[in-house]
Amino acid sequence: MSISKESELEGMKRVSEVVATTLRLMREHAKVGMSTKELDNFGGEILKSHGAKSAPYETYGFPGYTCISVNEEAAHGIPSDQNILKEGDLVNIDVSAELDGFWADNGGSFVLGKDIHNHQPLVDASRDILHKAIHSIKGGVKISDIGYLIETEAKKSGYKVIKNLAGHGVGRSLYEAPEDILNYRVKTNRERFRKNTTVAVETFISTQSTVAVQLNDGWTLVGNRGGYVTQHEHTILITDGEPVILTQSNGIWG
């Protein structure tokens, strides 16, 4: 979305604050022994209390208010009464919503309780790479250069990237141009980030896989070679200098 007036920026700020707050409160609310459906319902009530509508539910008829992916699930995990959270689980929550005609998206992976399976280094890599990538974005920067940065930093940390999941433009709908802010460089892509536009930038950092494949439920994605995947995401406003991180209050950077 290209921001051309103050009312549009205020609309984006409002919806971004709602999804950021929902993500932060859901992460704080998650407990061992809780089902992912219970956690999702909690998030859904927060969205409703702000007058916001779940983006995946409204846009795709997704069976949940938020996507909650656990352990080997890479993305788009369906909240379930049968999926009970356990100590040391690797959990990802992705929250996107619409409010007054504006849309925003954010997400984050975290370890529930004690890190008994040593997932924290992967979480840290994903979070830190997103920070570096976002702070490298300004008007005129090539989208492919950010992909190169993400993949290079992942390799430095001993990890891979998922190549068929990507960040995207966001604003008047959930998915807008640019459609593919990828986690690796496509040399033929000469598209550049544009000043005064809003985008959702996200990392998909993996221990083994490079492609996400869909399970038979029609939603849940897992890695093609197994292992684990972490994701972190912010909605930002691109400027000539430092970006404005509209979902900053989600607390994924501590």
Side-chain angles (χ1 to χ4, degrees):
M1 176 183 176
S2 181
I3 302 292
S4 59
K5 49 191 176 182
E6 187 64 27
S7 61
E8 293 174 334
L9 179 56
E10 288 305 312
M12 284 302 296
K13 285 181 175 179
R14 283 194 300 272
V15 68
S16 296
E17 184 65 23
V18 170
V19 298
T21 298
T22 302
L23 175 59
R24 177 176 55 80
L25 293 177
M26 287 180 71
R27 192 172 61 244
E28 294 171 357
H29 186 69
K31 298 289 186 295
V32 172
M34 176 183 292
S35 73
T36 55
K37 184 60 178 174
E38 183 181 349
L39 181 58
D40 180 61
N41 286 339
F42 175 79
E45 287 302 316
I46 298 170
L47 293 176
K48 289 179 183 177
S49 72
H50 290 281
K53 297 178 181 178
S54 161
Y57 181 82
E58 291 292 321
T59 305
Y60 303 112
F62 180 76
Y65 300 107
T66 67
C67 299
I68 304 178
S69 308
V70 182
N71 293 328
E72 289 83 1
E73 297 172 348
H76 301 169
I78 300 173
S80 168
D81 289 323
Q82 282 70 51
N83 196 348
I84 306 300
L85 296 174
K86 300 180 293 298
E87 190 80 29
D89 274 351
L90 178 62
V91 182
N92 176 266
I93 303 174
D94 194 314
V95 183
S96 54
E98 178 271 335
L99 178 65
D100 298 329
F102 296 94
W103 303 67
D105 196 355
N106 71 162
S109 297
F110 62 98
V111 177
L112 184 64
K114 297 178 182 177
D115 185 26
I116 57 179
H117 305 299
N118 196 34
H119 291 311
Q120 194 62 47
L122 180 63
V123 171
D124 291 345
S126 175
R127 183 189 61 210
D128 294 347
I129 292 169
L130 180 66
H131 188 277
K132 189 166 187 176
I134 282 178
H135 286 281
S136 300
I137 294 174
K138 60 183 177 180
V141 169
K142 283 185 179 179
I143 290 175
S144 62
D145 286 350
I146 298 302
Y148 178 72
L149 182 157
I150 292 171
E151 185 174 33
T152 300
E153 291 297 318
K155 286 180 178 178
K156 284 181 185 178
S157 299
Y159 299 119
K160 306 175 188 298
V161 299
I162 299 296
K163 294 191 172 184
N164 63 329
L165 296 175
H168 49 90
V170 67
R172 284 297 189 178
S173 60
L174 181 58
Y175 289 101
E176 299 179 347
E179 295 178 356
D180 290 317
I181 305 174
L182 295 163
N183 281 204
Y184 70 105
R185 178 166 63 181
V186 177
K187 292 182 180 179
T188 55
N189 181 14
R190 301 188 181 280
E191 189 174 9
R192 297 176 184 270
F193 288 103
R194 294 188 295 118
K195 179 184 175 182
N196 293 333
T197 61
T198 48
V199 297
V201 183
E202 48 192 323
T203 48
F204 293 97
I205 310 303
S206 168
T207 57
Q208 297 181 37
S209 296
T210 55
V211 176
V213 295
Q214 193 175 82
L215 297 182
N216 291 334
D217 63 19
W219 294 105
T220 307
L221 299 174
V222 299
N224 63 324
R225 296 176 181 171
Y228 299 92
V229 179
T230 47
Q231 178 257 18
H232 288 86
E233 177 183 22
H234 271 302
T235 292
I236 68 170
L237 170 68
I238 299 167
T239 73
D240 276 337
E242 286 290 304
V244 178
I245 303 167
L246 298 171
T247 49
Q248 181 77 48
S249 63
N250 66 24
I252 63 173
W253 287 334

